[in-house]
Amino acid sequence: MALTVHQFPCLSDNYGFLVRDEASGQVATIDTPDADAILAQLERLGWKLDLILNTHWHPDHAGGNEALKAATGASIVGPAEVTRIAPLDRTVADGDHVMLGQTRFDVIDTGGHTLGHIAYHDATDHIAFVGDTLFALGCGRLFEGTAEQMWSSLSRLAKLPDDTTVYCAHEYTASNARFALSVDDDPALKGRAEAVFAARERGEATVPTTIAAEKATNPFLRAPLLRPSAVTPAQAFAEIRAAKDSFKG
Ligand code: ZN
Ligand code: FE
């Protein structure tokens, strides 16, 4: 594989991701949940940071930008909304791409959790970094966008190839599974939920996931099937999202 991904826990339930383009040796971090933790991992790996790629402006994603830039000189790329909390060296939007050595990341607009949220897709290696848009068995809360916007973002991610490895920014899968079981009794979901609970008992990560696994079992992607009476798919999604927001599992 041309891109190596190093994943590690950060803060209480975030994941940090350091990626290295093997052809050039260039290194990027996807988001900056915790500058000190990211610097410690760089040191351990013997990697030098070239690039910071932000998915959205929230402090657990962009809060370490300035400290990491000061420590490494890395340049910062992200959606315009990141400038609410820190300066950017380059602003990107849907349809743009970012090169890390020979690895190309296509920028996909995935607004909804925040208005300007983006995902980074490496189509060659079948890898996507989706921030807080799509989670294993879940999706991000609608802090700024509408249900229509989030449904369209999730639908775009669902159209990526089935074997795309999906790196979500949080370990929320066990609680997502408890909610999913409350709205869906599909056998594939039950099997996956059991595997998730067992993995978490063993202290294992349930991230990354794949597009195929999410299309098969994620209640948000399956919303139109789970809420057949809804007038539109986006309305079905809105109903499942509202149910999750009030779920006491
Ligand atoms: Zn967020
Ligand atoms: Fe987050």
Side-chain angles (χ1 to χ4, degrees):
M1 202 197 289
L3 188 76
T4 298
V5 180
H6 174 67
Q7 174 179 326
F8 51 97
C10 259
L11 305 177
S12 60
D13 52 32
N14 282 73
Y15 283 116
F17 304 106
L18 284 166
V19 301
R20 185 174 189 269
D21 171 65
E22 293 305 335
S24 64
Q26 286 203 33
V27 172
T29 182
I30 312 299
D31 287 328
T32 59
D34 180 339
D36 288 339
I38 293 166
L39 288 169
Q41 294 288 329
L42 286 164
E43 169 98 38
R44 220 190 93 197
L45 295 161
W47 291 2
K48 184 192 145 308
L49 191 67
D50 299 291
L51 198 59
I52 294 168
L53 300 177
N54 288 134
T55 61
H56 66 296
W57 73 269
H58 282 161
D60 62 317
H61 297 262
N65 281 13
E66 283 175 297
L68 275 174
K69 186 179 173 74
T72 65
S75 68
I76 309 175
V77 175
E81 64 173 23
V82 168
T83 59
R84 290 190 221 176
I85 67 165
L88 285 173
D89 294 304
R90 181 184 164 201
T91 302
V92 290
D94 190 57
D96 289 341
H97 70 270
V98 183
M99 296 304 295
L100 177 73
Q102 295 183 11
T103 300
R104 174 185 168 124
F105 291 103
D106 292 304
V107 174
I108 303 175
D109 183 325
T110 55
H113 175 70
T114 61
L115 285 177
H117 193 299
I118 59 173
Y120 294 92
H121 178 221
D122 168 5
T124 304
D125 298 300
H126 294 211
I127 289 172
F129 294 94
V130 300
D132 287 356
T133 299
L134 177 63
F135 292 124
L137 291 174
C139 77
R141 291 173 82 93
L142 302 178
F143 285 117
E144 297 177 5
T146 62
E148 287 72 21
Q149 188 182 9
M150 189 61 144
W151 173 251
S152 119
S153 296
L154 291 171
S155 301
R156 288 190 70 183
L157 294 177
K159 287 195 190 89
L160 296 179
D162 275 354
D163 65 353
T164 303
T165 302
V166 177
Y167 290 93
C168 333
H170 291 269
E171 181 60 64
Y172 289 157
T173 320
S175 72
N176 287 342
R178 286 190 285 277
F179 169 72
L181 290 168
S182 77
V183 292
D184 190 357
D185 60 3
D186 189 80
L189 170 63
K190 287 182 181 164
R192 184 177 177 194
E194 276 171 31
V196 163
F197 297 141
R200 294 307 295 150
E201 294 246 312
R202 295 191 299 269
E204 294 171 11
T206 64
V207 172
T209 177
T210 64
I211 291 297
E214 297 315 312
K215 284 200 306 200
T217 52
N218 186 311
F220 297 97
L221 297 184
R222 285 168 52 76
L225 291 167
L226 301 177
R227 291 287 183 275
S229 60
V231 183
T232 62
Q235 183 56 40
F237 166 76
E239 290 178 21
I240 300 289
R241 186 61 252 178
K244 173 73 161 68
D245 291 341
S246 60
F247 181 67
K248 307 262 184 276

